[in-house]
Amino acid sequence: MPEQDKSEEKTRLIKAYTAIVLSRTLDNKIVVSQRQGRVGFYTPTIGQEALQVGASMALQDKDLIYGYYRDVPLMLHRGVPMENIINQIMGNREDSALGRQMPSHYCDKKRNFMSVQSPVATNLPLAVGSAYTQKYRKTNSIVLTTFGEGSTSAPDFHAALNLAAVYNLPVIFLCENNGWAISMPVEKQTLAEIWTKASAYGMRGVRANGNDLLETYEVTREAVKRAREGKGPTLIDAVSFRMGPHSTSDDPTKYRDVIVEEGSDKDPVIITEKLLKSKGYIDDKFIESIKTRAEKIVNDKFEECAKIPAADPSSAFTGVYKESSWMLDEEVKDLL
Amino acid sequence: MPEQDKSEEKTRLIKAYTAIVLSRTLDNKIVVSQRQGRVGFYTPTIGQEALQVGASMALQDKDLIYGYYRDVPLMLHRGVPMENIINQIMGNREDSALGRQMPSHYCDKKRNFMSVQSPVATNLPLAVGSAYTQKYRKTNSIVLTTFGEGSTSAPDFHAALNLAAVYNLPVIFLCENNGWAISMPVEKQTLAEIWTKASAYGMRGVRANGNDLLETYEVTREAVKRAREGKGPTLIDAVSFRMGPHSTSDDPTKYRDVIVEEGSDKDPVIITEKLLKSKGYIDDKFIESIKTRAEKIVNDKFEECAKIPAADPSSAFTGVYKESSWMLDEEVKDLL
Amino acid sequence: MTEMNMVQAINNGLDLALKLDDSVILLGEDIGINGGVFRVTEGLQKKYGEDRVMDTPLVELGIVGMAIGMALTGLKPVPEIQFQDFIYTAMDQIINQAAKMRFRSNGDYTVPMVLRTPYGGGVKGGLYHSQSGEAYFAHTAGLTVVTPSGPYDAKGLLLSAIDYEDPVIFLEPKRLYRSIKEEVKDGEYKVPLRKASVVREGDDLTAITYGSMVPTVKNTFEKHKVNGDIIDLRTLVPMDIGTVIQSVEKTGRVVIIHEAPRTGGFGAEISASITERALESLLAPILRVTGPDSPFPYKMEDYYIPDDRRIMKAVNKLLEFR
Amino acid sequence: MTEMNMVQAINNGLDLALKLDDSVILLGEDIGINGGVFRVTEGLQKKYGEDRVMDTPLVELGIVGMAIGMALTGLKPVPEIQFQDFIYTAMDQIINQAAKMRFRSNGDYTVPMVLRTPYGGGVKGGLYHSQSGEAYFAHTAGLTVVTPSGPYDAKGLLLSAIDYEDPVIFLEPKRLYRSIKEEVKDGEYKVPLRKASVVREGDDLTAITYGSMVPTVKNTFEKHKVNGDIIDLRTLVPMDIGTVIQSVEKTGRVVIIHEAPRTGGFGAEISASITERALESLLAPILRVTGPDSPFPYKMEDYYIPDDRRIMKAVNKLLEFR
Ligand SMILES: Cc1ncc(C[n+]2csc(CCOP(=O)(O)OP(=O)(O)O)c2C)c(N)n1
Ligand SMILES: Cc1ncc(C[n+]2csc(CCOP(=O)(O)OP(=O)(O)O)c2C)c(N)n1
Ligand SMILES: [Mg+2]
Ligand SMILES: [Mg+2]
């Protein structure tokens, strides 16, 4: 690799690694805070950092993302300010949804990160429609949408992939295959490997080791390139592992043994560190300093955000229509 | 082939051919009657006779069928009395649904032919549930469900195939691939060949030439055998051609040229005749006599059924619950 | 001005919308080369191309979901569901995505989509080609539910809906598609959403109805010389409560007519809203003349749909009540 | 008799049903090894095996569709939808298959299925874990809509529903899952469907409510010593109109309380049914205290759900009205 490229790669990988560490640190902080009652609910992202950041590395700012409730690493790498994420989780006055949505339901229009819903896979047809806009308007932007492997059983997955293929749209379906849908292991969810489902739509499907930052990046980059060149959609099956519980309400000991311990060889943070070390981009000192800095950033941001007051109660009952309905106006007068 | 087997095959194939001819004759009769205003609506089956009869040949009486609105040949071969079909289409007092359902919405519990609905593909999850019952109750019966290739885009297709595979159920998905979904050709419906969609569920998928009675029979027989042996579901892509309009309300000249003329070499009736002739089972005289007899049977049955009076109007407003609701009772008093 | 039936008027409205604004995209099953099973989109694909009048695969939730995704990125999609009876697989997209998007994103993302679909009986469609499901949509905050009762309104309401910045469920009474002709303005004009229209005036009672039943009620009142107001709601939600209450305060007697089953139908909301606000004006019980609480039948549809006889039974009961 | 909360009572009812009849099959997401996200099915898979308590892939329409197919072939499926908010992709199966099967096959095929699902707010679930969609089901002829308000009724109604030969939508108020304990009979007993229960008696007014709101209304009446009937409908459709009208004729004043949004909510049907039948008994407008016409919010859910203050506002308005 020429020096110039190597230096670019180093910058890119350090940015990626930083996002991974920040995200892991934030994740742990929120989980602890939830237990302390400072946060209502949360869907941890632990274990899915490398694949999300790898995919994000392949995107441009103008590309659209229809993410899901587990996409903090992706958002951080993309440049969504950490306080936006924390404010959302706290549902305070600065939350994009003013406390209307549950925690983990992010939205950041400035960074083209669309509003997250709870019903799984229902973002996929929307992503397809938005990809249609890009093609129709010749924007040269593409759309990426994320979802879990359990969500591939949902009807919207089927609808979206077929439509994307038929209209040859610039959209990438990134399956964050963490092996579990709450208590349902992927082997019982479906008998086929996820990436092979693409062939049912005449679409390209590929698998990536989701714990390998660079592999996910390369696979996504290829998909992005094809999409931008008008060569159509790709389904990426990024295989990783859900290291945490499904959510802070979930007790995984009911249905599984822990298989990947934090800090073990299979932890994507450790795998990414090894990668960067092997390339000579970072060393233990760097790792320590970045983790210390991450702790401080996360703690500071968290405390800052915790001070932001709740939105005015009335904000939970407005903004349903552009022009309000008289019914709601009347009802709100009664209930506030 | 030993004599015994040959004679059995002859009986079987003549029964099949007879059903095909009867069905074609009935089809034409109903289409003409619709133009004369004697029938309200109809979805012709012309072109799909060989595949339906071929599939039916592989079933036992105890097997369940979840069919769709184009399954007259299948029903006739199975032994559904022709008058049941005509009565349904006329919606008279003898209709299984007492004139409640549109024409082409058959039901014959005695022959294990389940009630047909209009929304496409929504019979598929039901077929899976009923297949579950067979497995759970160890009945050794299997379930066959039919649908058009357009219906593979519908969400229920996706749900049903995945569930059937995951629970390894004795169910056969027979796609009657007639090339069109009203005005939408299969090439625009989906980019993949229909039989390949099975692989997305880890299921066996096979293609059959649906105009070839024996091929469809063999393919279905193999699928039935596997299902009965506990080897799970199969998707069969039986490729034929919709020779008629989508329905009597449809004008196909708006969107396509006629490609298969009745009586041409591609007509499954002609293809089946050739097959039976080549085996020495029938000759031209037999063909003529069977067609003449079919004309007579169809005309007689039709006129008989036409004489059956309509059901009492009140029957359109009963039978919603086992124990009627007071609301409906009250409403019906007002409207009759 | 040209004399048009409702199919022609909607076709004309869509044509105009497509011409005036290249953000407008039509999508649905068989709407392109085939011109729609009711011919509402006839000729439009030829005129505006396959990328603006899109034939879709057979998947209602995909049609609606894609349309929402288009709307979120600046287009103005007008999806068609071939029969309202087939909309239910798309209910999640409608209820959980379209209706809630503005609220949950605090206005960052909005869904200016007009979801067109023919509804109601009268074409011998049986259980699955005759349903009137307006109540399902009317109960869903975030949706605006509109139904025209004639060609002029159909075009004018459609153009308003396309301009509206929130999702509109546009229910077309298929029974009226070709049965009424009216003079319709050739160019652009709008009939406002959220505004009822008083289609006949009188003092003795108030008939409240919408969509497919409006002509029936009008004909009944004319034939039997009923001296009453007939209110065509046009927009069900948000309902034009002012017009309703004003009439009720004048007449004191109310009959509500719709084709959908009575229990939980939109008539219940109209009745409840009136009782809440104008009980003291009521001189008689509020009556509902509706479809019965049973699936829509094939053969006996003329009994199912409210008719002259049933409407007059209610009218007479109201007038005789004291 | 054992003291149980609603989770325990339903679990106990399911256990009994599974034991008594091998046609009973439970299916749903995470109901097996995990015991359900609310623990309602805890321990049942272990006891009855994976073929009777089935963990399913993530596909609501498949869960419901499969259950219908089981019911059509002699089983008694009890599918669970994890949250009622996620039921909408299965609406077509519910409306077009389950509800219409008996009618369209003239009784040859029937759907004895009990579709269980937790609904309503109070667990900080936001837009998608808090909905009360009963009105969608109540408007669908062919369905029977049931919702218990406490542990005893929950078990008894569930056992009636499993025995019933038509599809039942069994809505479990998740807010009450663990908040109330009652003495519950250990063995089999039934609480009849289609029968309301008068949970408190009084002369001044009638409160009509169901499911999640019943304890709130009871507490409010007790605390403020309101002298009124409280009717817990238990079965919404077909509604027990006799009990309702009898009370209204006694009191002449009616307040309806539910958590779902007002417009097109089931309260509208209750109100309309009363006005139709008992206008002359009414001494005051029928009032509705309901959730507002907006999506269910995360943070401000205590404002969304009718409370003591709002109920008393309506009660006082009714009592003062003359
Ligand atoms: C349509 C729908 N059904 C059920 C749920 C409840 N639920 C939330 S997450 C989840 C599992 C999703 O698994 P997967 O798609 O693999 O994503 P993961 O949580 O593993 O990232 C379920 C069943 C839901 N959100 N949406
Ligand atoms: C869910 C649904 N959407 C739309 C329709 C209207 N419709 C009736 S048949 C049909 C085409 C079906 O094509 P295919 O599945 O190939 O069956 P075929 O009619 O060709 O036998 C359509 C769109 C329907 N019945 N159901
Ligand atoms: Mg997962
Ligand atoms: Mg076809």
Side-chain angles (χ1 to χ4, degrees):
Chain A
M1 211 186 267
E3 268 315 304
Q4 164 80 13
D5 288 6
K6 230 182 128 70
S7 135
E8 267 174 36
E9 185 187 75
K10 181 176 173 183
T11 312
R12 239 183 6 251
L13 288 181
I14 287 184
K15 180 183 168 199
Y17 174 65
T18 308
I20 289 175
V21 170
L22 273 175
S23 158
R24 175 66 61 90
T25 312
L26 178 59
D27 214 55
N28 287 335
K29 173 74 182 178
I30 299 174
V31 169
V32 169
S33 307
Q34 195 277 338
R35 281 196 218 107
Q36 296 166 340
R38 301 184 70 190
V39 161
F41 172 89
Y42 181 63
T43 46
T45 67
I46 182 167
Q48 290 166 233
E49 294 92 345
L51 82 88
Q52 289 182 26
V53 171
S56 176
M57 284 169 73
L59 299 179
Q60 296 180 12
D61 288 349
K62 66 175 184 177
D63 298 330
L64 258 59
I65 300 177
Y66 279 91
Y68 84 125
Y69 48 75
R70 229 182 275 286
D71 281 346
V72 167
L74 197 164
M75 293 171 74
L76 285 176
H77 182 266
R78 189 170 181 77
V80 173
M82 187 183 287
E83 52 269 33
N84 292 17
I85 295 166
I86 303 173
N87 288 332
Q88 200 292 312
I89 280 161
M90 296 191 163
N92 60 30
R93 180 184 296 175
E94 301 289 327
D95 166 23
S96 58
L98 301 172
R100 293 170 183 165
Q101 286 246 68
M102 260 179 114
S104 304
H105 289 64
Y106 316 100
C107 178
D108 190 331
K109 187 168 187 181
K110 263 200 204 134
R111 283 89 195 171
N112 283 324
F113 191 92
M114 315 295 288
S115 163
V116 170
Q117 83 295 342
S118 311
V120 301
T122 66
N123 47 327
L124 274 59
L126 276 55
V128 173
S130 295
Y132 189 86
T133 305
Q134 309 315 316
K135 185 177 177 178
Y136 178 68
R137 291 295 191 201
K138 303 192 175 60
T139 63
N140 207 29
S141 294
I142 66 118
V143 181
L144 176 95
T145 182
T146 67
F147 50 97
E149 86 297 334
S151 308
T152 64
S153 296
D156 296 78
F157 173 83
H158 184 62
L161 268 75
N162 194 44
L163 290 165
V166 161
Y167 298 116
N168 194 40
L169 297 177
V171 54
I172 296 167
F173 300 96
L174 177 69
C175 180
E176 305 192 15
N177 185 346
N178 63 11
W180 294 88
I182 309 186
S183 69
M184 178 61 105
V186 61
E187 305 79 37
K188 292 187 166 185
Q189 186 70 243
T190 182
L191 302 189
E193 289 199 57
I194 303 296
W195 66 275
T196 69
K197 290 179 186 282
S199 72
Y201 312 100
M203 183 190 295
R204 189 166 162 267
V206 282
R207 196 211 325 243
N209 177 351
N211 290 331
D212 184 330
L213 177 76
L214 272 187
E215 185 175 324
T216 313
Y217 166 59
E218 289 300 343
V219 165
T220 312
R221 197 174 61 146
E222 174 67 16
V224 168
K225 187 163 165 286
R226 290 176 57 93
R228 241 187 270 286
E229 286 171 357
K231 292 189 183 143
T234 301
L235 169 65
I236 301 175
D237 177 11
V239 183
S240 73
F241 187 76
R242 201 189 80 206
M243 289 169 59
H246 169 72
S247 73
T248 49
S249 311
D250 179 46
D251 173 10
T253 63
K254 289 230 146 213
Y255 54 82
R256 75 164 200 203
D257 304 320
V258 179
I259 306 181
V260 179
E261 294 277 2
E262 195 173 359
S264 75
D265 278 1
K266 289 183 178 162
D267 181 336
V269 172
I270 305 299
I271 295 172
T272 308
E273 281 167 7
K274 273 193 194 143
L275 170 76
L276 269 73
K277 274 187 189 168
S278 77
K279 295 207 175 233
Y281 296 158
I282 62 172
D283 55 19
D284 286 338
K285 227 183 92 190
F286 183 89
I287 292 174
E288 220 197 282
S289 83
I290 213 165
K291 288 190 175 169
T292 315
R293 231 178 54 220
E295 286 288 342
K296 176 154 169 48
I297 293 172
V298 165
N299 284 326
D300 289 355
K301 292 269 181 210
F302 196 91
E303 297 311 328
E304 269 170 42
C305 295
K307 288 197 199 105
I308 299 174
D312 188 82
S314 72
S315 64
F317 308 101
T318 51
V320 182
Y321 298 91
K322 181 168 188 205
E323 184 195 340
S324 183
S325 76
W326 63 265
M327 297 100 71
L328 185 54
D329 293 347
E330 185 179 285
E331 289 153 1
V332 168
K333 246 184 250 151
D334 181 52
L335 64 81
L336 283 183
Chain B
M1 211 187 267
E3 269 314 305
Q4 163 81 14
D5 288 7
K6 232 185 129 66
S7 136
E8 268 175 35
E9 186 188 75
K10 182 176 171 184
T11 313
R12 240 188 1 254
L13 287 182
I14 286 182
K15 180 186 167 196
Y17 173 64
T18 308
I20 290 175
V21 170
L22 273 174
S23 157
R24 175 67 60 89
T25 312
L26 179 59
D27 214 55
N28 286 335
K29 173 74 183 177
I30 300 174
V31 170
V32 168
S33 307
Q34 195 277 336
R35 279 195 218 110
Q36 296 166 341
R38 303 184 68 191
V39 161
F41 171 88
Y42 183 61
T43 46
T45 67
I46 182 167
Q48 288 166 233
E49 293 93 346
L51 81 87
Q52 288 183 27
V53 172
S56 176
M57 286 169 72
L59 299 180
Q60 296 180 13
D61 288 350
K62 66 174 185 177
D63 297 331
L64 260 58
I65 300 177
Y66 278 91
Y68 83 125
Y69 48 77
R70 229 183 273 288
D71 280 346
V72 167
L74 196 164
M75 294 171 76
L76 285 175
H77 181 267
R78 189 171 181 78
V80 173
M82 189 184 288
E83 51 269 34
N84 291 19
I85 295 166
I86 303 174
N87 288 332
Q88 200 291 312
I89 280 161
M90 296 193 163
N92 60 30
R93 180 183 296 173
E94 301 290 326
D95 166 23
S96 57
L98 302 174
R100 291 169 184 166
Q101 284 246 67
M102 260 180 116
S104 303
H105 289 63
Y106 316 101
C107 178
D108 190 330
K109 186 168 187 181
K110 265 201 203 130
R111 284 88 194 173
N112 283 324
F113 191 93
M114 316 296 287
S115 164
V116 170
Q117 83 295 341
S118 310
V120 302
T122 65
N123 47 326
L124 274 60
L126 275 56
V128 172
S130 295
Y132 189 86
T133 306
Q134 310 315 316
K135 184 176 177 179
Y136 178 68
R137 291 296 191 197
K138 301 190 176 61
T139 63
N140 206 30
S141 295
I142 67 116
V143 181
L144 176 93
T145 182
T146 66
F147 50 96
E149 86 297 335
S151 308
T152 63
S153 296
D156 296 79
F157 173 84
H158 184 63
L161 269 75
N162 194 45
L163 290 166
V166 161
Y167 298 116
N168 193 42
L169 298 178
V171 55
I172 295 168
F173 299 97
L174 177 68
C175 180
E176 305 193 15
N177 185 345
N178 63 10
W180 295 88
I182 309 186
S183 68
M184 177 63 103
V186 60
E187 304 79 36
K188 291 188 166 184
Q189 185 71 242
T190 181
L191 301 189
E193 289 199 58
I194 302 296
W195 67 273
T196 67
K197 291 180 184 283
S199 71
Y201 312 100
M203 184 189 296
R204 190 167 162 266
V206 282
R207 194 207 330 238
N209 177 351
N211 290 330
D212 185 328
L213 177 75
L214 273 186
E215 185 175 323
T216 313
Y217 166 58
E218 289 300 343
V219 165
T220 312
R221 198 174 61 147
E222 174 68 17
V224 169
K225 187 163 166 282
R226 291 176 56 93
R228 244 188 267 285
E229 287 170 356
K231 292 188 184 144
T234 301
L235 169 65
I236 301 176
D237 177 12
V239 183
S240 72
F241 188 75
R242 200 188 81 206
M243 288 170 59
H246 169 71
S247 74
T248 49
S249 312
D250 179 45
D251 174 10
T253 64
K254 289 230 146 213
Y255 54 82
R256 75 166 196 202
D257 303 319
V258 179
I259 306 181
V260 178
E261 294 278 1
E262 195 173 1
S264 75
D265 278 2
K266 289 183 178 162
D267 182 338
V269 172
I270 305 300
I271 295 172
T272 309
E273 283 167 6
K274 275 195 193 141
L275 170 75
L276 269 73
K277 274 186 189 172
S278 77
K279 296 206 173 234
Y281 296 158
I282 62 170
D283 56 17
D284 285 340
K285 227 183 88 188
F286 181 89
I287 292 176
E288 219 198 284
S289 83
I290 214 167
K291 287 190 173 167
T292 314
R293 231 178 56 220
E295 286 288 341
K296 181 159 165 44
I297 293 172
V298 164
N299 283 325
D300 290 355
K301 293 269 182 210
F302 197 91
E303 297 311 327
E304 268 171 42
C305 295
K307 287 196 199 103
I308 299 173
D312 188 80
S314 70
S315 64
F317 307 101
T318 51
V320 181
Y321 298 90
K322 182 168 188 206
E323 184 195 339
S324 185
S325 76
W326 63 265
M327 296 99 73
L328 185 55
D329 294 346
E330 184 180 285
E331 289 152 1
V332 168
K333 246 184 252 153
D334 181 51
L335 63 83
L336 283 182
Chain C
M1 286 284 197
T2 311
E3 209 185 51
M4 294 184 193
N5 63 28
M6 199 188 285
V7 165
Q8 293 164 327
I10 297 173
N11 180 279
N12 181 260
L14 292 171
D15 191 346
L16 202 62
L18 284 160
K19 192 169 80 188
L20 292 176
D21 184 352
D22 74 353
S23 323
V24 174
I25 305 272
L26 274 47
L27 65 162
E29 294 159 15
D30 307 295
I31 69 164
I33 183 169
N34 195 38
V37 298
F38 288 102
R39 305 278 169 252
V40 174
T41 52
E42 182 99 48
L44 299 177
Q45 185 179 74
K46 198 156 174 201
K47 206 158 162 185
Y48 297 100
E50 289 188 28
D51 59 339
R52 299 200 55 205
V53 181
M54 299 166 62
D55 275 316
T56 66
L58 206 171
V59 55
E60 284 74 11
L61 84 85
I63 293 169
V64 176
M66 245 189 112
I68 297 170
M70 290 176 179
L72 292 174
T73 43
L75 299 184
K76 293 183 177 173
V78 185
E80 172 182 300
I81 300 297
Q82 200 164 81
F83 286 86
Q84 187 252 279
D85 314 61
F86 304 142
I87 210 167
Y88 304 118
T89 52
M91 274 318 241
D92 184 74
Q93 284 290 345
I94 295 170
I95 294 176
N96 278 333
Q97 291 281 25
K100 297 182 177 39
M101 188 62 79
R102 177 187 289 278
F103 178 79
R104 80 177 198 226
S105 71
N106 193 25
D108 278 351
Y109 293 106
T110 61
V111 184
M113 159 180 87
V114 181
L115 181 51
R116 294 182 39 245
T117 187
Y119 80 106
V123 299
K124 291 249 172 227
L127 285 75
Y128 300 112
H129 296 79
S130 310
Q131 294 176 38
S132 295
E134 67 273 11
Y136 298 118
F137 308 108
H139 184 50
T140 306
L143 300 181
T144 299
V145 185
V146 175
T147 177
S149 64
Y152 183 90
D153 273 7
K155 178 177 167 184
L157 289 168
L158 178 71
L159 292 176
S160 290
I162 292 175
D163 236 42
Y164 195 74
E165 294 180 46
D166 285 303
V168 173
I169 308 293
F170 196 83
L171 299 166
E172 301 174 1
K174 67 172 88 74
R175 186 150 41 96
L176 307 186
Y177 264 158
R178 295 173 185 281
S179 63
I180 307 169
K181 292 204 163 197
E182 278 176 5
E183 292 293 321
V184 172
K185 276 193 232 166
D186 295 317
E188 212 191 346
Y189 69 94
K190 282 183 187 145
V191 172
L193 304 193
R194 302 183 175 201
K195 263 316 284 157
S197 115
V198 182
V199 296
R200 183 185 167 99
E201 287 189 65
D203 301 318
D204 295 348
L205 60 89
T206 300
I208 306 171
T209 187
Y210 50 85
S212 65
M213 292 309 306
V214 175
T216 308
V217 178
K218 251 167 55 181
N219 292 340
T220 301
F221 274 37
E222 276 160 24
K223 187 169 147 201
H224 298 276
K225 305 208 171 23
V226 180
N227 178 25
D229 277 355
I230 301 178
I231 297 176
D232 174 359
L233 286 180
R234 296 198 297 207
T235 296
L236 305 195
V237 174
M239 171 168 45
D240 181 356
I241 190 75
T243 299
V244 168
I245 295 301
Q246 202 182 332
S247 174
V248 174
E249 284 173 349
K250 175 175 73 174
T251 67
R253 298 175 201 266
V254 183
V255 56
I256 298 162
I257 304 101
H258 62 60
E259 201 176 312
R262 185 176 72 187
T263 300
F266 193 66
E269 179 57 39
I270 303 172
S271 172
S273 295
I274 293 171
T275 310
E276 259 159 24
R277 287 168 181 73
L279 179 75
E280 293 164 290
S281 304
L282 287 182
L283 305 171
I286 298 174
L287 298 182
R288 289 181 285 174
V289 182
T290 70
D293 284 296
S294 57
F296 198 102
Y298 169 61
K299 275 268 165 154
M300 306 301 169
E301 65 175 354
D302 293 344
Y303 290 87
Y304 193 99
I305 303 171
D307 59 6
D308 187 278
R309 190 180 57 82
R310 289 176 59 207
I311 295 168
M312 282 314 297
K313 234 204 270 187
V315 164
N316 289 328
K317 206 166 153 187
L318 282 180
L319 293 179
E320 285 157 19
F321 193 93
R322 94 220 71 218
Chain D
M1 286 286 196
T2 312
E3 207 184 55
M4 295 185 192
N5 63 28
M6 198 187 285
V7 165
Q8 293 163 328
I10 297 174
N11 181 279
N12 182 259
L14 292 171
D15 192 345
L16 203 61
L18 284 160
K19 191 169 81 189
L20 293 175
D21 184 352
D22 74 353
S23 321
V24 174
I25 306 274
L26 273 47
L27 65 161
E29 293 158 15
D30 306 296
I31 69 163
I33 183 169
N34 195 38
V37 298
F38 288 103
R39 305 278 169 253
V40 173
T41 52
E42 182 99 48
L44 298 177
Q45 185 178 73
K46 198 156 177 201
K47 206 158 163 187
Y48 297 99
E50 287 188 30
D51 58 340
R52 298 198 59 203
V53 180
M54 299 165 63
D55 275 316
T56 67
L58 205 171
V59 56
E60 284 74 12
L61 83 86
I63 294 168
V64 176
M66 245 187 113
I68 297 170
M70 290 176 178
L72 292 174
T73 44
L75 299 184
K76 292 184 178 173
V78 186
E80 172 181 301
I81 300 296
Q82 201 164 80
F83 286 85
Q84 187 253 279
D85 314 61
F86 304 141
I87 210 168
Y88 304 118
T89 52
M91 273 320 240
D92 184 73
Q93 285 290 345
I94 296 170
I95 294 176
N96 279 332
Q97 291 280 26
K100 296 181 177 41
M101 187 63 78
R102 176 187 289 277
F103 178 79
R104 79 176 200 229
S105 71
N106 193 25
D108 279 350
Y109 293 105
T110 60
V111 184
M113 159 181 89
V114 182
L115 180 51
R116 295 180 41 245
T117 187
Y119 80 106
V123 299
K124 290 249 171 226
L127 284 75
Y128 299 113
H129 297 78
S130 310
Q131 295 176 36
S132 296
E134 65 273 13
Y136 298 118
F137 307 109
H139 183 51
T140 306
L143 300 181
T144 299
V145 185
V146 176
T147 177
S149 63
Y152 183 90
D153 275 7
K155 178 176 169 186
L157 289 167
L158 179 70
L159 291 176
S160 290
I162 292 175
D163 236 41
Y164 195 73
E165 294 181 46
D166 286 303
V168 173
I169 308 294
F170 197 83
L171 299 167
E172 302 173 0
K174 68 172 88 74
R175 187 151 41 97
L176 308 185
Y177 266 157
R178 296 172 184 280
S179 64
I180 307 169
K181 293 203 163 199
E182 278 176 5
E183 292 293 321
V184 172
K185 278 192 231 163
D186 294 317
E188 212 191 345
Y189 69 93
K190 281 183 187 144
V191 171
L193 305 194
R194 303 185 174 199
K195 265 315 288 152
S197 114
V198 182
V199 296
R200 184 187 167 98
E201 288 188 65
D203 301 317
D204 296 348
L205 60 92
T206 301
I208 306 171
T209 187
Y210 50 85
S212 64
M213 293 309 306
V214 174
T216 308
V217 177
K218 252 164 57 180
N219 292 340
T220 301
F221 274 35
E222 276 160 24
K223 187 169 148 201
H224 299 277
K225 307 204 170 27
V226 179
N227 177 25
D229 277 354
I230 301 177
I231 297 178
D232 173 359
L233 287 179
R234 296 198 296 207
T235 295
L236 306 194
V237 174
M239 170 169 46
D240 181 355
I241 190 76
T243 300
V244 168
I245 296 300
Q246 203 182 330
S247 173
V248 174
E249 283 172 349
K250 175 176 73 176
T251 66
R253 299 174 201 266
V254 182
V255 58
I256 298 161
I257 305 101
H258 63 60
E259 200 176 311
R262 185 176 73 185
T263 298
F266 192 68
E269 179 57 40
I270 303 171
S271 171
S273 295
I274 294 171
T275 311
E276 259 158 23
R277 287 168 181 73
L279 179 74
E280 291 165 287
S281 304
L282 288 181
L283 304 171
I286 298 174
L287 298 182
R288 291 182 284 174
V289 182
T290 71
D293 284 296
S294 57
F296 199 102
Y298 169 62
K299 275 272 165 153
M300 305 301 169
E301 65 175 356
D302 293 344
Y303 289 86
Y304 192 98
I305 302 171
D307 58 7
D308 188 276
R309 190 181 56 83
R310 288 178 59 208
I311 295 168
M312 283 314 296
K313 234 205 268 188
V315 164
N316 289 329
K317 205 165 151 186
L318 281 179
L319 293 178
E320 286 158 17
F321 194 91
R322 92 218 74 216

